Amino acid sequence: MNTPIYFVNDRFVPASEASLPVTDLGIMRGYAVFESIRTYGGKPFRLDEHLVRLEKSADRVGLSLPRSRAQLAEVILDTLARNEFAEATIRVIVTGGESENFFTPTGKPSLIVIATPLRPYPQAYYQQGVKIATAEMERCLPEAKTTAYILGEMALRQARSHDPEIVEVLYVDRHGRVTECIMSNFFAFFDDVLVTPREDILYGVTRQAVLKLAEPLFQVEVRDVLLSELQNASEMFITASVKEIMPVTELDGVAVGKGGYGPNTRTLMDAFREMADRFAKE
Ligand SMILES: Cc1ncc(COP(=O)(O)O)c(C=O)c1O
């Protein structure tokens, strides 16, 4: 296989030569935002939405993007063209850049664009559903996609120490509301009513696509969702760019609904597949 080509600041380099100074604030202080975008038919899905979110994340943490949205899109397409992956995940990372005193940015953020071959989750996850567990945790600046996943790393390790098959962890906040998972958004069906948390979450690109698909099919409620309500949920699923729609069949060791995963989740998964296939062929 050819060496992957990454983009670092102003140039394309082989992956083995891609590096940032160790004093970069992304490393020193975790001062960085990013996007993770997948392709269908080799084309980045909802690229503009991802770039708008990157702008918002950067704005929220006081970082300025080193390039315009149009220029970033160009770099992303160029990165894809230089790497011959059938389908790829693209990561766009913007860090605080180098700092002389290890804290104050010098106003020159670093930009990294990485393309890797898409690594889909096991088919069994979609055929049988997955187990998730809850954890009482709140993300800092939840609407911003920062690289701060320390809480998530810890939550997953903790959950897997009890059950190694746990795939995701659902955060529960101080008010008893479920918000989202470490790397996914969360949805539940109460019979034919689809609900998803409304705030204190990362507004997922996949979540948005699913809400659009669901609107003509189901009653949709975007609102606070309490953990205590979930015992009455008939179906649950999580969403994210690479995961798409992943059915959840067990929460904290308790089967969801009637066990197995339900027909409404299946309907949305089929609609999502159709939309993605259409996009790939456009
Ligand atoms: C905290 C969090 N919530 C939700 C998502 C899902 O977002 P998207 O659908 O845009 O991939 C992610 C994706 O990585 C995430 O990290």
Side-chain angles (χ1 to χ4, degrees):
M1 201 187 91
N2 297 336
T3 313
I5 302 294
Y6 295 168
F7 182 85
V8 182
N9 286 325
D10 295 320
R11 31 189 220 115
F12 286 99
V13 289
S16 57
E17 290 170 31
S19 64
L20 286 184
V22 290
T23 56
D24 190 291
L25 290 174
I27 297 167
M28 297 296 300
R29 305 289 177 186
Y31 189 29
V33 293
F34 78 111
E35 279 301 315
S36 194
I37 308 162
R38 65 158 294 161
T39 63
Y40 289 104
K43 296 179 293 180
F45 183 63
R46 304 267 156 114
L47 180 55
D48 206 47
E49 284 177 39
H50 279 285
L51 293 178
V52 167
R53 188 171 67 185
L54 184 67
E55 263 178 4
K56 283 190 182 150
S57 298
D59 192 49
R60 185 74 183 84
V61 305
L63 265 173
S64 55
L65 293 188
R67 287 170 189 246
S68 69
R69 242 189 285 156
Q71 288 168 331
L72 283 172
E74 217 171 283
V75 172
I76 289 166
L77 295 178
D78 203 353
T79 308
L80 281 175
R82 286 165 194 254
N83 293 280
E84 290 171 6
F85 305 133
E87 299 292 4
T89 301
I90 306 134
R91 291 182 175 82
V92 185
I93 307 151
V94 179
T95 79
E98 273 191 274
S99 169
E100 279 163 23
N101 65 1
F102 304 140
F103 195 80
T104 317
T106 50
K108 205 172 171 305
S110 299
L111 168 67
I112 306 165
V113 180
I114 293 173
T116 49
L118 183 82
R119 288 178 54 195
Y121 287 85
Q123 266 310 307
Y125 286 13
Y126 300 91
Q127 286 154 358
Q128 286 143 34
V130 297
K131 299 179 183 183
I132 66 172
T134 56
E136 278 179 35
M137 283 186 188
E138 295 178 23
R139 278 180 63 232
C140 168
L141 306 173
E143 318 88 62
K145 195 166 164 76
T146 68
T147 55
Y149 281 77
I150 295 175
L151 281 181
E153 299 272 359
M154 287 166 55
L156 192 61
R157 193 166 331 132
Q158 168 80 8
R160 284 185 174 158
S161 71
H162 299 294
D163 181 349
E165 290 180 359
I166 295 291
V167 167
E168 255 286 20
V169 174
L170 177 61
Y171 294 135
V172 182
D173 74 5
R174 70 193 80 172
H175 310 292
R177 300 180 306 174
V178 298
T179 52
E180 63 185 328
C181 295
I182 303 169
M183 291 180 290
S184 333
N185 289 115
F186 177 79
F187 290 79
F189 272 109
F190 293 87
D191 299 318
D192 289 339
V193 182
L194 180 66
V195 302
T196 195
R198 126 190 111 91
E199 63 178 3
D200 294 333
I201 57 170
L202 181 76
Y203 293 102
V205 170
T206 322
R207 172 184 181 273
Q208 199 49 41
V210 168
L211 283 173
K212 194 117 206 266
L213 291 173
E215 252 165 34
L217 301 171
F218 302 103
Q219 186 184 328
V220 177
E221 296 178 0
V222 178
R223 60 162 170 87
D224 288 348
V225 182
L226 295 174
L227 175 62
S228 55
E229 295 178 69
L230 292 182
Q231 57 194 5
N232 298 320
S234 42
E235 301 178 38
M236 295 180 200
F237 62 88
I238 53 179
T239 64
S241 293
V242 176
K243 289 188 188 83
E244 303 178 326
I245 297 176
M246 192 177 277
V248 172
T249 44
E250 205 178 290
L251 175 69
D252 286 337
V254 178
V256 175
K258 297 193 183 99
Y261 74 89
N264 291 343
T265 304
R266 165 55 64 195
T267 300
L268 284 177
M269 288 167 78
D270 289 346
F272 195 93
R273 182 83 288 115
E274 215 174 279
M275 175 202 59
D277 288 349
R278 219 177 314 122
F279 173 80
K281 288 191 200 111
E282 266 167 18

